[in-house]
Structure formats: structure tokens, C-alpha cells
Amino acid sequence: MSESKYTGIIQAKNASLIPQANGKNLHSSYNPDREGETFASNAPEGSFFVIGGICGAFHIEALLKRFPESKIIAAEENQESIDFLLRLENVKKLSADPRVTFTEAKNLARVIAETYLPHIDGNLAYLPLRSWEENFPLGSALAKAAVDSALKMVGADFSVQSHFGKIWQKNFFSNLHFLKKSAEKNPKDLKISFDQNDIEKTAAIIAAGPSLDWSYKKIAEKRGEYFVIATDTAYQALAKRGITADACISIDAQFISREHFFSLGAKTLFIFDSCANPQSARRTVSHPQSNDSKTFFCMTGHPLPRLAFQSGKINLPEISSGSGTVTIAAASFALMAGFTRLEFFGADFSYLDGKSYTRGTYLDSIYGRSSSRLNPVENQYDSLLFRTELEKIGRNQFTTKVLASYRASLEEFLRQNGLEKSGDNIWSFPESEKKAGNSTFDLKFGRNSAHELKNFLKAELVGLKKEIKGGNLQKVRGNPAFFSILPMSAFFQRQGAQRDESFYLAAEGTLSYTDLL
């Protein structure tokens, strides 16, 4: 068990109480309040600060006084240190301030990722207290690493939002229109269930990595033992090997994703994120071979479907996509359905033998159509391999930082859900935690739901536009409707719009898309 390095509390000359670590004062023993003011005066202009060291909190109080609308995360080396400092009245008072969050260093990256909104908060400033750095070198190192890690995650997320933000909004309303038509045609199509016979099988989660070239044989030989859940890219590759997936998951918003569904097998359950490409979903319904198939929708992490769900007008089952990978989405769906044993195929998160994907994906067709003597298929696949710096991890096997992070995210997701690794690419629950099946997913989108949902969203967005125009951003910050437009506002910021203008344009644009209902 870790221990606090704080060793005592003494009274400064001005009667303020200051903590000691390793027998040394963490603040001025004469006037720590004035010292805190100096710390705050040297801080850059901003509204989001990460502080290394809570200590006596004089510097945090001064920072809040200078920037009263700011948000502050203050880190300590461990929870024992925080508990020790909470003996100080001013630290205890700040712990109840909604603008301030105290956390131990090991959780700092997660807290930043969950709290920091670059759309609103602007730049993040890391301000370590020098005396804390000197006395808590481990905590200081952990905090610095956490800030760097969190900024990379947030930056990558903002980049994705700026690219897909507008597409996601439009896709969502197009898919709701599709759902409305399905509800009118046959409400039973909006419900799926898994009985005990289904979930007693192993859920085979199929990704499109190079190892699927040979690992698929195990599924083919023991097909009756598996309930096959394919990611969208792997669906055609399996079909070309004579294996029809029982389910297929797609979370891709891009138009190109429809290429996955040019030819379909019978009796497949297609599950789409509600912000996925609507042409893909329509293809699974209109294809001549899809009579025995079913098309279903869920929600992952986008805040617009969550707002719709909170209205009570629609029930969208929620699955996780972790860091935004379809493999995690497939695993999440399997767990929600009640499967207790998952086996992964093609989830390589690496390049094998110079290959980025298994044979038979849509890329074979796309690259084949554009192949020429000067630009053969091999060149086009090589461009995928060498987009970013490669790291060798085995014989003829390479990965990248992004792919390695995806693997780590998947494994963390499985552990957090109580699974343990029980073999090569196999994860399962301990016997004591296994449960009976018969899980049901129901969209509950009735005949009048679309009209009622449209009215609800319009009212929320009209009210939001009014608040944004009036400059009341602090008032709307916790509003679910405001969160629902943030991805689209990132798109407009990427186009050059100023912050407040991007919020207004995103609210206005989302409002216009409600007419698709």
C-alpha cells in the first residue's frame, strides 16, 4: 500500500497552515497567500489548468481568484496524500468547489480526457508547483506523462470530430428516417433476441487482420461451435471463404463503407451505429439476398443519439466502441447479448508478412480497379503500411503506436468487463460469473416516435441557439443538447470559424437536419 510523503502541518508567520513533506515546507513560512498570488500572476491566460501538487492550495485559490470561470484539475502522487491534505480547511473547501477536481496522478490522464473540452476550454496549461516537483519526483513524473498522454488522446479525438462531425449529424437523422420507415412497415423488425442455444456457443469476433488468411480454417472446421460476429471489413472476406457471419457490426460513417455490403449472405444480423453510413444500412435491406437478414441500430459514444435517447422517444441499445474501434464494438455487443466466451480472429493490430489486411476485403476490389502498370496493387497496399513509423514486434510483424493503442484499449475493455484471458486470443468469464442467456434488444421506435422526437430536438436546439447567441456558454455547458453539437462545431472550427460562431453554426446545421425526419 502506498503512503503519503506529507509528514506534518505547521503554522506560517501569517497564521496560515502549510503542509510539510520530508520535513520541508511546501509553501512560504512567512506569507503563503502572497506566494500563491505570485504563482497565479505568472500563469498564462486561459480557462483550463492542470496543477501539479495540491499542497496547501494557496496557489489554486489565487488562480481561481484571477480566473473565476476556469476549471482546475490538481494532482497528487497518491490518494493517501490527498487524504492527508484534506485535513486543511481551505483544501477541504476547494474539494467541494465544482470548478476544481482533485485526483491522484495515476488517474490524471483519464480525468483530463473526461473533463477537458478543447472546443470550449481552449488551450490546456500544466502548472506544477516547484516545491512539489522537488519533493514528489515520482508524482511529478507521473503527472507530466499523464498530461502528455491526455493531450494526445484529446487532440486525436478532436481531429476525428473535426473530420466526421458534420457527417455524423446528417447520418444520424438519415438513419432515423430509415428506422421510421421500418417501424411503419413491421415493428417486429426493431427487436432481436438471443436464447440459451445462441450464447452457449463461443462468440467468434472477426477482424480483418492478415492472420485471418489461415485462422478462418478453425471456424470453418468447427462452424457449429461458433456464433460468428464479423466486423464490417471482415464480412466479405469470410463470405469468400464460405462462411456467412451470424452478425456483422459497422460503426463507420464514411460513404466508402457501403463497399462492405455489395454482396450479402442470408440470415445475417447487421448492426449499425446510428451515426454510421446510411447507404450501408439501406444496402443490407434492399439487396436481393437479404430477405432472411435483419438490420438493427445501436448507439456508441456520440452525444446526439444520447440526447435522442434521453428524450424518451426512442430506445437505442448502447454498445461501447472504446477508442473508436469496430472490434471493441463487436466484443461489446457479444457481451450485451450474453456470450461468456469470446475468441478473436484477425485482431492483429499489426502488419504480418508485409500485409495490412486479410485477402478478400473491399480494398482488393478498390485497389484492383485502380491498378495500373505504374501503380500496381502492391504499391497501394504498401502506402497503407508506411503511413506512419513502424515498430518491429516479431518475425515479419510490425505495428504502429496507433495500432498498439487499439490493442491495449481492447484488452483494457475486456478486463474492465470482468473477462480473463484463457488461451490464445480467447477471453472468458470465470465459471462463477457466467450467466443464463435470453438477452433482448428492443429499439422501441413507434409510429409516432419520429414526429415526437423531431419536435423535442427542434425545441432543444432552438433554445440552445438562443443561449449561444446571447453568449451564455457557461449556462449551456452542462446541457445535453450542447454536447450533441460539439462534434459538428469541431468541423466548423476546422473550416476557420471562431469558437462561438462554430457553436451557433453547429446548432443551426443540426436543426436543419431534423427536417430529414
Side-chain angles (χ1 to χ4, degrees), residues 8 19 89 192 208 256 264 311 351 355 406 441 444 473 500 516:
E89 191 59 37
I192 55 176
I256 192 68
L264 307 179
S311 73
Y351 305 131
K355 298 184 62 177
Y406 287 162
F441 299 86
K444 294 180 182 176
L473 291 184
D500 292 8
L516 293 172

Side-chain angles (χ1 to χ4, degrees), residues 28-44:
S28 166
S29 59
Y30 290 92
N31 195 332
D33 298 286
R34 184 177 298 170
E35 182 186 56
E37 292 170 2
T38 301
F39 178 93
S41 68
N42 291 324

Side-chain angles (χ1 to χ4, degrees), residues 255-267:
F255 186 69
I256 192 68
S257 67
R258 78 196 193 285
E259 298 268 351
H260 299 309
F261 308 104
F262 268 125
S263 60
L264 307 179
K267 297 182 179 179

Side-chain angles (χ1 to χ4, degrees), residues 2-3 11 17 123 197 230 264 271 277 331 333 348 377 383 414:
S2 58
E3 296 181 356
Q11 190 175 67
L17 297 178
N123 293 331
N197 291 331
L264 307 179
I271 303 130
N277 176 252
F333 181 80
D348 304 318
V377 170
S383 68
L414 295 170

Side-chain angles (χ1 to χ4, degrees), residues 202-384:
T202 295
I205 310 299
I206 316 297
S211 67
L212 190 63
D213 281 353
W214 61 86
S215 63
Y216 83 92
K217 295 177 182 178
K218 183 177 181 181
I219 303 172
E221 293 169 358
K222 302 180 178 181
R223 183 64 180 88
E225 298 178 14
Y226 289 107
F227 186 93
V228 177
I229 305 176
T231 60
D232 46 10
T233 309
Y235 179 76
Q236 292 292 343
L238 281 179
K240 290 175 181 177
R241 293 170 170 86
I243 301 172
T244 299
D246 297 296
C248 176
I249 307 273
S250 180
I251 63 174
D252 193 350
Q254 300 175 95
F255 186 69
I256 192 68
S257 67
R258 78 196 193 285
E259 298 268 351
H260 299 309
F261 308 104
F262 268 125
S263 60
L264 307 179
K267 297 182 179 179
T268 297
L269 168 64
F270 294 98
I271 303 130
F272 292 94
D273 177 54
S274 54
C275 293
N277 176 252
Q279 294 302 320
S280 299
R282 280 160 177 71
R283 188 175 294 280
T284 63
V285 172
S286 62
H287 196 279
Q289 293 177 310
S290 63
N291 291 335
D292 294 326
S293 299
K294 183 175 285 191
T295 300
F296 199 74
F297 288 91
C298 62
M299 62 179 178
T300 52
H302 196 288
L304 181 57
R306 195 176 302 280
L307 174 65
F309 174 78
Q310 290 173 352
S311 73
K313 309 303 179 185
I314 183 172
N315 177 47
L316 282 167
E318 183 173 9
I319 63 174
S320 173
S321 63
S323 56
T325 62
V326 68
T327 305
I328 293 180
S332 177
F333 181 80
L335 295 180
M336 288 188 66
F339 290 93
T340 59
R341 190 171 188 269
L342 279 58
E343 185 170 354
F344 293 84
F345 296 81
D348 304 318
F349 301 106
S350 61
Y351 305 131
L352 296 173
D353 299 324
K355 298 184 62 177
S356 50
Y357 286 94
T358 187
R359 293 190 304 271
T361 70
Y362 76 113
L363 290 172
D364 288 353
S365 300
I366 293 174
Y367 290 169
R369 291 197 296 266
S370 61
S371 177
S372 66
R373 187 162 59 90
L374 298 178
N375 187 31
V377 170
E378 290 78 9
N379 280 3
Q380 297 178 65
Y381 273 112
D382 284 347
S383 68
L384 286 177

Side-chain angles (χ1 to χ4, degrees), residues 77-93:
E77 187 168 282
N78 51 40
Q79 186 60 45
E80 289 73 20
S81 295
I82 297 174
D83 293 340
F84 180 93
L85 295 171
L86 286 172
R87 302 176 192 178
L88 300 170
E89 191 59 37
N90 54 333
V91 175
K92 187 176 181 179
K93 180 181 177 182

